C-alpha cells in the first residue's frame, strides 16, 4: 500500500495553500462581516482551475481525481471560509452532471460550471423533509415536451446566484426525478439567505418554484431515478465535507500551537507544560487518523467503488473527532478563543456545521448499521 | 524575446541547522522548495513574454530531486526546463556553480535576457547572478524592483539602501530581481497536471556541458568552508533603570563603561 502523494498532488497542495493564503484568507473577515462571498471569488477559483477538477478536458474540466480535490479542499478549508465549501460544491455537482448526464447535458452545463460563469445548486431538501424521498412534495407534471415544476426547496446553497441547479421532484408516476433547472426561469424565486451559526457567505436560501417549465431533455439521468442520483452525490459530498473538517481541524491545531508557544504561564510557554502537550498530541493524532481515512475513501471513489457506506462511516468518525479537536483548541486559547478577533472562534462555529448538514451524524449510524445487518457472513 | 531564468531548490524550513563537525547543512527532514525569490524572477520573465512574446527556459543545477522545482516552473508557464545534474557537479561553490550555469547558457544559445533572484534563501551570497554575468561577459543590473524592455534596451529600477536608481543597458543582459518586484502567479491545476503527465525536464550532465572538468563541483571550488557554527545567543538578565532621564542616562553609561563597551569612543 503506497501512502506517498505524487509530485502532481504535492504541487497542487502547495498551489492550493498559496491560494488560501493570498486569495481567501485576506477576505475571510469581510466575508464574516457581510455574510456574503465576494463576487469575484468564483472567477478566481475558476482561473486557478479548481472547478471541474474531475471533469474531462473536453467538457472544460481538468481531468484530475477525487483525491486531488480532497487535497486542495483540505488546504482551502484551513481558512474556515465558505469559499472552500464553494469549490467543493462546484466540483461535486459537476461530477454528478458528468456521471449521469446525456452528452447534450454535459456539453451545455459542464463548461459554464468549470469556467465559473455558473453557480451550481442541488435541491432536494424541503420544509417538511431532509432525506425522506416519500415526503417530497415538489411536483413535476408533464406538459407537452416539458415538465412543470411546483414546490418549495429549503437550504439551497447558491440557489439565488446565476446559473442552474439539479432539482428533485415527484413526477406523474410519484417517483423522484432530477431536473436541470435554470435559475433565471420564469416562476423561479428565492428567499433571503438563512443566517447561519458558521460558514458565513454560504448563501443558503429557500427556493420557490411556481409553474417553472423544464424541457424533457433536461431530465438528469433516467426518469424516476432521482433518489439514486442524490444518494450517489451525497456520498461524494460527505467525503468532501470530511476533508473540509480535516483542514479546519488542522487549522485548530496550527492556531493552538502558535498561541501556546507564545503564551507564557508562570514564566514558561504553555507548550512546556505536560497537560497542554497531551492535548496537542491528542489533537494531532485525531487529525492524522481522520486525514488518512478521508484520503482512503476518496481513493476508493477514484477506483469506482460505491462509497455510500464508507463515506457514512467516515462521517460518523470524523465529525465528533474533529469537534473534539476544536473543543480542545478552544480550551487552549482560553477566553481569546471565544473572541471574534481570533480565527479560533470562526473555526469552532464552522466545525459545528458538519454534524447536522448533508445528513446528520446520527443518520450515518443508520446507513452503516443497516448495511452491516444486510451483509452476508458473520 | 528569449529569456533564461536560473532557479534553485532550497531547504523548506528556515530553521535548518548545521552539522558543526562537517560544516554541512542538516537537510534530513527538510523538504526542498523553489527558492522563494526565484518565483519572482519567473514571474518577471512570464510578464515580459506576455508583453514581448518569446520563449522562456528555466535552468537549475542540483541533485535529481531538484527536478521538482523545475516542474513548478513549468507549471507556472515556462516553455522549457533544464536540470544540470551530475556527481561531478556536486559540492560546487558559487564560482563553480556560475561556471556550470554559464556553459549551460551557451548551450541554450538563444537568449536576450538572463534573470536570477538576488540571492537564494539558503546560501544568501548574492554572488551567482553577478558571477554568471562576468563569465558570460554580459552587462548586469542588480536588485531590480521594476523591469522594462524597449527595443534592444532594458531599464530597471534598482533598490538601494536609501532609495532607488534607474539603470539602463543594452541586450543581452543579466538582471537579478528583488522579492517585491511582483506577486508570483499561482500555477493553475490543469497546468500542474499537464506538467507531470506530458512535459519533460531535460537533464544535462558534465559530458553534455563540455568545458573544463577541473572547474566543476567541489574540485573546482576555490571557496572552502573552514568551519561552520551556530550563533550562540546568551540571554542575560534584564535590568530596568528607573529615575529621571539624565540620571538614567548616567547610570547606563556607567554600566557600559564598567563592562568595557565604550572603549575607543571619544567624549565619553
Amino acid at each position: 500500500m503506497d501512502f506517498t502523494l505524487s509530485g502532481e498532488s504535492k504541487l497542487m497542495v502547495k498551489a492550493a495553500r498559496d491560494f488560501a493564503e493570498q486569495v481567501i484568507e485576506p477576505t475571510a473577515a469581510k466575508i464574516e462581516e457581510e455574510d456574503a462571498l465576494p463576487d469575484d471569488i468564483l472567477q478566481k477559483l475558476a482561473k486557478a482551475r479548481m472547478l471541474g477538477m474531475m471533469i474531462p478536458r473536453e467538457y472544460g474540466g481538468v481531468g484530475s481525481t477525487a483525491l486531488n480535490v480532497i487535497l486542495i479542499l483540505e488546504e482551502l478549508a484551513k481558512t474556515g471560509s465558505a469559499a472552500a465549501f464553494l469549490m467543493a460544491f462546484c466540483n461535486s455537482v459537476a461530477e454528478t452532471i458528468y456521471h449521469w448526464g446525456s452528452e447534450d447535458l454535459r456539453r451545455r452545463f459542464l463548461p459554464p460550471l468549470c469556467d465559473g460563469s455558473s453557480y451550481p445548486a442541488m435541491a432536494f431538501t424541503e420544509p417538511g423533509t431532509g432525506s425522506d424521498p416519500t415526503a417530497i412534495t415538489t411536483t413535476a407534471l408533464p406538459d407537452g415536451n416539458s415538465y412543470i415544476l411546483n414546490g418549495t426547496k429549503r437550504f439551497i446553497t447558491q440557489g439565488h446566484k446565476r446559473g442552474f441547479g439539479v432539482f428533485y421532484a415527484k413526477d406523474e408516476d410519484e417517483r423522484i426525478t432530477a431536473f436541470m433547472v435554470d435559475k433565471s426561469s420564469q416562476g423561479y424565486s428565492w428567499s433571503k439567505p438563512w443566517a447561519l451559526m458558521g460558514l458565513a457567505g454560504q448563501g443558503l436560501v429557500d427556493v420557490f418554484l411556481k409553474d417553472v417549465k423544464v424541457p424533457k431533455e433536461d431530465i438528469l439521468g433516467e426518469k424516476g431515478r432521482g433518489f439514486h442520483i442524490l444518494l450517489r452525490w451525497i456520498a461524494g459530498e460527505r467525503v468532501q465535507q470530511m476533508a473540509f473538517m480535516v483542514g479546519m481541524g488542522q487549522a485548530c491545531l496550527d492556531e493552538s500551537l502558535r498561541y501556546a508557544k507564545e503564551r507564557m504561564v508562570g514564566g514558561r510557554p504553555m507548550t512546556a507544560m505536560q497537560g497542554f502537550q497531551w492535548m496537542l498530541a491528542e489533537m494531532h493524532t485525531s487529525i492524522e487518523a481522520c486525514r488518512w481515512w478521508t484520503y482512503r475513501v476518496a481513493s476508493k471513489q477514484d477506483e469506482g467503488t460505491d462509497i455510500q457506506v464508507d463515506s457514512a462511516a467516515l462521517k460518523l468518525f470524523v465529525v465528533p473527532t474533529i469537534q473534539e479537536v476544536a473543543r480542545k483548541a478552544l480550551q487552549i486559547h482560553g477566553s481569546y478563543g471565544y473572541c471574534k478577533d481570533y480565527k479560533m472562534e470562526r473555526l469552532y462555529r464552522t466545525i459545528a456545521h458538519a454534524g447536522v448538514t448533508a445528513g446528520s451524524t446520527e443518520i450515518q449510524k443508520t446507513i452503516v448499521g443497516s448495511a452491516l445487518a444486510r451483509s452476508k457472513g458473520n | 524575446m528569449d529569456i533564461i531564468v536560473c532557479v534553485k531548490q532550497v531547504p523548506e524550513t528556515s530553521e535548518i541547522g548545521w552539522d558543526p563537525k562537517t560544516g554541512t547543512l542538516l537537510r534530513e527532514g527538510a523538504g526542498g522548495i523553489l527558492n522563494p525569490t526565484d518565483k519572482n524572477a519567473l514571474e518577471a520573465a512570464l510578464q515580459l513574454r506576455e508583453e514581448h512574446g518569446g520563449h522562456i527556459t528555466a535552468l537549475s543545477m542540483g541533485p535529481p530531486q531538484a527536478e521538482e522545482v523545475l516542474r513548478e516552473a513549468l507549471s507556472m508557464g515556462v516553455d522549457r526546463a533544464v536540470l544540470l545534474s551530475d556527481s561531478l557537479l556536486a559540492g560546487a561553490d558559487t564560482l563553480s556553480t556560475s561556471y556550470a550555469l554559464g556553459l549551460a547558457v551557451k548551450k541554450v544559445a538563444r537568449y536576450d535576457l538572463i534573470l536570477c533572484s538576488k540571492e537564494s534563501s539558503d546560501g544568501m551570497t548574492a554572488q551567482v547572478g553577478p558571477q554568471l554575468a562576468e563569465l558570460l561577459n554580459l552587462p548586469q543590473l542588480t536588485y531590480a524592483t521594476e523591469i522594462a524592455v524597449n527595443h534592444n534596451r532594458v531599464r530597471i529600477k534598482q533598490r538601494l539602501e536609501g532609495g532607488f536608481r534607474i539603470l539602463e543597458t543594452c541586450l543581452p543582459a543579466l538582471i537579478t530581481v528583488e522579492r517585491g518586484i511582483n506577486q508570483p502567479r499561482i500555477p493553475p491545476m490543469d497546468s500542474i497536471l499537464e506538467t507531470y503527465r506530458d512535459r519533460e525536464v531535460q537533464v544535462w550532465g558534465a559530458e553534455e556541458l563540455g568545458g573544463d572538468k577541473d572547474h566543476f563541483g567541489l574540485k573546482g571550488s576555490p571557496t572552502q568552508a573552514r568551519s561552520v557554527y551556530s550563533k550562540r545567543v546568551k540571554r542575560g538578565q534584564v535590568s530596568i533603570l528607573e529615575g529621571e532621564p539624565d540620571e538614567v542616562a548616567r547610570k547606563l553609561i556607567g554600566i557600559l563603561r564598567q563592562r568595557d563597551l565604550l572603549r575607543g569612543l571619544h567624549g565619553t
Side-chain angles (χ1 to χ4, degrees):
Chain A
M1 189 173 282
D2 186 5
F3 289 100
T4 314
L5 293 182
S6 65
E8 165 191 311
S9 294
K10 281 193 245 179
L11 190 48
M12 284 183 177
V13 167
K14 201 185 285 183
R17 190 175 303 150
D18 287 345
F19 187 89
E21 286 171 5
Q22 292 170 29
V23 180
I24 301 180
E25 198 65 70
T27 62
K30 192 164 177 259
I31 292 170
E32 283 292 312
E33 197 181 306
E34 297 177 359
D35 194 9
L37 290 175
D39 283 338
D40 61 354
I41 197 77
L42 191 68
Q43 276 67 48
K44 286 179 177 169
L45 286 165
K47 196 177 166 202
R49 302 293 280 131
M50 290 182 186
L51 311 177
M53 283 284 294
M54 295 150 77
I55 305 304
R57 289 181 177 208
E58 58 189 294
Y59 303 107
V62 174
S64 188
T65 60
L67 180 62
N68 280 339
V69 175
I70 293 306
L71 294 170
I72 293 168
L73 174 59
E74 188 184 330
E75 290 305 316
L76 303 191
K78 289 177 183 171
T79 62
S81 165
F85 187 91
L86 178 65
M87 172 265 176
F89 187 57
C90 289
N91 276 292
S92 67
V93 175
E95 195 279 333
T96 297
I97 294 167
Y98 174 72
H99 185 84
W100 298 98
S102 63
E103 185 60 17
D104 173 53
L105 293 189
R106 288 174 175 182
R107 295 269 171 217
R108 282 164 50 212
F109 293 112
L110 289 176
L113 260 187
C114 297
D115 69 17
S117 54
S118 172
Y119 281 88
M122 187 61 83
F124 184 85
T125 300
E126 296 186 353
T129 180
S131 52
D132 178 6
T134 60
I136 287 283
T137 59
T138 298
T139 58
L141 297 174
D143 178 30
N145 287 329
S146 300
Y147 272 86
I148 305 296
L149 271 62
N150 280 287
T152 300
K153 293 292 179 185
R154 174 140 294 173
F155 300 144
I156 306 309
T157 301
Q158 308 299 342
H160 58 317
K161 295 277 183 77
R162 68 178 183 278
F164 52 86
V166 181
F167 280 68
Y168 298 86
K170 263 186 187 163
D171 60 26
E172 70 275 26
D173 301 322
E174 291 285 304
R175 297 174 71 194
I176 306 295
T177 294
F179 296 87
M180 299 301 303
V181 173
D182 187 334
K183 291 185 235 175
S184 64
S185 302
Q186 197 170 3
Y188 185 104
S189 61
W190 58 87
S191 69
K192 67 173 188 178
W194 286 79
L196 306 177
M197 180 197 285
L199 273 176
Q202 196 194 359
L204 282 189
V205 297
D206 286 355
V207 170
F208 312 108
L209 304 170
K210 189 168 171 20
D211 294 331
V212 170
K213 199 171 184 178
V214 180
K216 278 185 176 169
E217 60 266 27
D218 287 0
I219 288 175
L220 180 66
E222 275 180 54
K223 181 177 167 305
R225 296 269 294 168
F227 198 58
H228 293 276
I229 294 173
L230 179 81
L231 289 180
R232 186 183 172 281
W233 168 74
I234 215 159
E237 171 84 350
R238 275 198 289 264
V239 188
Q240 293 189 342
Q241 195 181 37
M242 294 313 102
F244 193 51
M245 290 290 275
V246 169
M248 287 192 291
Q250 185 62 50
C252 284
L253 178 57
D254 294 344
E255 291 294 310
S256 299
L257 260 176
R258 189 176 306 133
Y259 179 84
K261 279 181 180 176
E262 287 174 5
R263 177 73 170 173
M264 304 294 280
V265 181
R268 292 191 302 162
M270 284 169 70
T271 44
M273 296 173 177
Q274 190 183 51
F276 289 113
Q277 284 181 2
W278 284 16
M279 286 170 86
L280 293 166
E282 286 162 1
M283 290 161 76
H284 169 74
T285 307
S286 297
I287 295 162
E288 282 291 295
C290 292
R291 172 178 289 129
W292 288 98
W293 193 2
T294 305
Y295 293 176
R296 175 68 191 123
V297 181
S299 298
K300 277 186 151 183
Q301 194 179 355
D302 284 327
E303 289 160 12
T305 308
D306 182 344
I307 56 162
Q308 291 196 36
V309 177
D310 284 298
S311 63
L314 177 71
K315 180 163 181 171
L316 193 50
F317 177 74
V318 171
V319 170
T321 306
I322 297 295
Q323 286 179 346
E324 176 59 14
V325 166
R327 190 195 67 77
K328 287 192 174 97
L330 188 67
Q331 291 308 111
I332 289 170
H333 278 76
S335 299
Y336 291 107
Y338 200 61
C339 296
K340 283 190 179 291
D341 289 339
Y342 279 69
K343 186 176 172 182
M344 193 51 237
E345 187 269 348
R346 180 167 87 232
L347 291 167
Y348 190 87
R349 281 186 291 112
T350 308
I351 280 171
H353 89 285
V356 290
T357 63
S360 67
T361 317
E362 286 69 26
I363 209 162
Q364 312 310 322
K365 293 183 186 177
T366 305
I367 296 168
V368 177
S370 60
L372 290 172
R374 282 196 310 271
S375 64
K376 291 171 187 164
N378 45 17
Chain B
M1 177 170 192
D2 295 331
I3 306 171
I4 296 173
V5 186
C6 298
V7 301
K8 182 185 182 187
Q9 188 180 44
V10 295
E12 187 164 15
T13 172
S14 57
E15 293 170 359
I16 194 161
W18 298 87
D19 183 331
K21 285 182 186 163
T22 62
T24 54
L25 283 171
L26 291 169
R27 290 174 188 272
E28 274 176 37
I33 56 166
L34 178 58
N35 177 43
T37 319
D38 291 348
K39 286 191 191 177
N40 299 95
L42 288 163
E43 178 62 35
L46 291 163
Q47 289 180 12
L48 286 169
R49 188 186 64 185
E50 280 160 13
E51 199 180 336
H52 302 282
H55 185 274
I56 303 171
T57 301
L59 183 62
S60 186
M61 186 170 103
Q65 59 267 31
E67 180 188 321
E68 291 296 314
V69 300
L70 286 167
R71 296 242 171 240
E72 191 167 350
L74 282 169
S75 69
M76 283 177 77
V78 307
D79 303 289
R80 181 188 186 192
V82 179
L83 174 66
L84 314 184
S85 192
D86 195 306
S87 56
L88 281 178
L89 300 172
D93 67 358
T94 58
L95 191 67
S96 177
T97 301
S98 306
Y99 179 71
L101 288 173
L103 292 173
V105 167
K106 285 176 187 162
K107 196 168 153 67
V108 171
R110 275 186 51 189
Y111 64 91
D112 302 293
L113 201 56
I114 300 174
L115 294 179
C116 302
S117 64
K118 68 167 181 179
E119 64 187 8
S120 62
S121 64
D122 54 353
M124 296 180 78
T125 63
Q127 290 172 355
V128 170
Q131 284 174 350
L132 182 58
E134 288 304 310
L135 288 168
L136 294 169
N137 201 23
L138 291 175
Q140 55 174 297
L141 306 176
T142 54
Y143 304 106
T145 57
E146 285 176 23
I147 303 173
V149 172
N150 194 357
H151 298 297
N152 199 32
R153 299 193 71 76
V154 59
R155 175 185 288 204
I156 72 152
K157 186 175 178 183
Q158 183 185 53
R159 201 187 74 167
L160 299 171
E161 207 161 304
F164 293 93
R165 66 177 172 181
I166 306 297
L167 297 171
E168 191 175 299
T169 188
C170 56
L171 295 173
L174 183 145
I175 296 174
T176 71
V177 305
E178 284 276 357
R179 186 103 190 243
I181 190 172
N182 51 39
Q183 173 68 50
R185 67 195 62 193
I186 299 169
M189 297 301 162
D190 56 347
S191 179
I192 293 173
L193 198 90
E194 187 188 309
T195 293
Y196 275 91
R197 297 190 183 174
D198 308 327
R199 311 225 15 218
E200 183 201 3
V201 172
Q202 289 175 271
V203 181
W204 292 349
E207 282 307 314
E208 282 97 333
L209 286 177
D212 183 350
K213 303 284 182 289
D214 287 343
H215 290 165
F216 283 158
L218 193 61
K219 192 179 168 191
S221 297
T223 318
Q224 303 288 329
R226 289 265 176 109
S227 69
V228 178
Y229 55 90
S230 300
K231 190 168 64 180
R232 280 192 196 160
V233 180
K234 277 189 185 172
R235 287 184 191 275
Q237 261 194 324
V238 176
S239 308
I240 295 174
L241 305 177
E242 289 179 4
E244 291 301 311
D246 283 356
E247 183 193 347
V248 169
R250 269 192 290 277
K251 278 185 192 170
L252 179 62
I253 288 168
I255 293 168
L256 294 174
R257 275 197 176 132
Q258 197 183 343
R259 297 188 183 180
D260 203 19
L261 293 170
L262 295 180
R263 197 167 35 167
L265 290 183
H266 299 290
T268 58

